[in-house]
Amino acid sequence: MLNVEEQKFVETADAVIVGGGVVGLSLARKLALSSFGRIVLLERGQLGAEASHAAGGMLAAQAECDRPDPFLELACASRELYPALSLALLEETGINIELDQTGTLYLSFTEEDERETTHRYNWQSGAGLPVERLTGDEARRLEPCVSERAASALRFPLDWQVENRRLVAALATSAAKLGVHLLMGREVEAILIERGRVEGVQTARGKVFAPVVIVAGGAWASQLMAEVESAPAVRVEPVRGQMLCFDSRPSLARHVIYSPRGYLVPRLDGRLLAGSTTERAGFDKRVTAAGIHNILSNALEISPALANLPLVDAWSGLRPKVVDDLPLLGASAQTRGLFYAVGHYRNGILLAPVTAELVAEEVMTGAARPLMKPFTIERFLQAGVR
Ligand code: GLY
């Protein structure tokens, strides 16, 4: 599906983006749409082949956020961008990213789950978010596959999903059509800095000079950042998430279905994804027996009907996590011209559109919107986390 031709190496640019996942590609497209100039995107492997490919594609602001805070605001703002983005990408590329607006169910099984979902319902309805409270039977009327053991559920009508692999293809195709130089197999070895100002990047095949460099390298950003940021807290570490994929034709469910321990994501083509684990395993992307066991037991708790489905695929991805679990967005405090769009952890697909808007805006105008302020590098410097 990803049909973007590799392009010739270029030595100068107006902006270099390091990393070709959904975040880097969204930024490249956004800057190109704003006629920013010559944009070069350098990807160490293949476009979108890491966390963007491995993800479940949930736009689950309400299922994934735990309190009404600036992160929830960021997540909801990004979720709202998806309907227009989906139409724009279809128009620009002919690729349908399969934005599915059925919504998400969040099941509870135990007394502890009930306490958690009641708390979630209370703070979300208090914050004015659309959330419905359902009995177990009401949930089963919506989704007959839901276990008889589910005691109750929340429904988040605005927690949608997209097909993240199609999203990668659409963003890459759009960026290429807009003239972005998409260079694959180009690992960035260092960020070039001269007297407090970024000059470009060093790759194994030569330098690319640019006055703006944006690091969007997911879990692989850490090494580059370690060399240019003196605060050790400003690092990204990989957190493995394994996924299973079942053949579910006819489809078992229409909603994305969460429990506090796992989730199921039905895809339009009949695949049913089940996730996930949260593991510190370095850059090891193997699927393990323990991971499969863990995902399966949580998936079967949600829906025992899953037991009859053929397991057709399994993979894992590395979520990029910053120490406080929040994304790191915007300008470096130490180096002019250097920007970050990293640390999206569990929500890279959800947060890519708003990240592109906010970071591109700061690159172009020098101003950080209030929505982005809680996620800049200042939080580490102010807190003295070094
Ligand atoms: N957003 C779901 C996950 O990271 O597993």
Side-chain angles (χ1 to χ4, degrees), residues 54-60 64 239-243 258 263 275-278 319 344-350:
M58 297 91 86
L59 309 179
E64 294 267 347
V239 177
R240 185 167 70 188
Q242 301 185 40
M243 297 283 281
Y258 271 77
Y263 51 79
S276 179
T277 58
T278 302
R319 304 180 185 94
H344 292 79
Y345 193 31
R346 302 179 61 88
N347 295 291
I349 305 299
L350 170 61

Side-chain angles (χ1 to χ4, degrees), residues 241-265:
Q242 301 185 40
M243 297 283 281
L244 302 181
C245 177
F246 298 88
D247 183 351
S248 165
R249 283 172 292 182
S251 187
L252 200 66
R254 294 177 308 114
H255 290 77
V256 172
I257 311 179
Y258 271 77
S259 80
R261 291 162 286 283
Y263 51 79
L264 300 179
V265 185

Side-chain angles (χ1 to χ4, degrees), residues 27-54:
L27 262 160
R29 171 178 173 272
K30 193 77 199 169
L31 288 172
L33 282 170
S34 310
S35 306
F36 187 71
R38 193 204 299 241
I39 299 152
V40 173
L41 182 149
L42 297 163
E43 162 54 44
R44 52 184 281 286
Q46 294 295 312
L47 297 174
E50 297 292 349
S52 303
H53 186 82

Side-chain angles (χ1 to χ4, degrees), residues 1-7 19-30 32 39 41 43 46-49 52 85 89-90 92-95 97 163-184:
M1 190 160 56
L2 192 48
N3 187 22
V4 176
E5 305 249 323
E6 197 183 354
Q7 294 159 347
V22 287
V23 172
L25 288 168
S26 299
L27 262 160
R29 171 178 173 272
K30 193 77 199 169
I39 299 152
L41 182 149
E43 162 54 44
Q46 294 295 312
L47 297 174
S52 303
L85 176 65
L89 287 173
L90 185 62
E92 289 162 28
T93 68
I95 298 172
I97 64 168
E163 215 295 77
N164 38 292
R165 296 174 186 182
R166 286 178 160 263
L167 177 64
V168 168
L171 289 169
T173 305
S174 167
K177 280 189 168 181
L178 290 163
V180 175
H181 294 256
L182 298 167
L183 303 178
M184 291 163 255

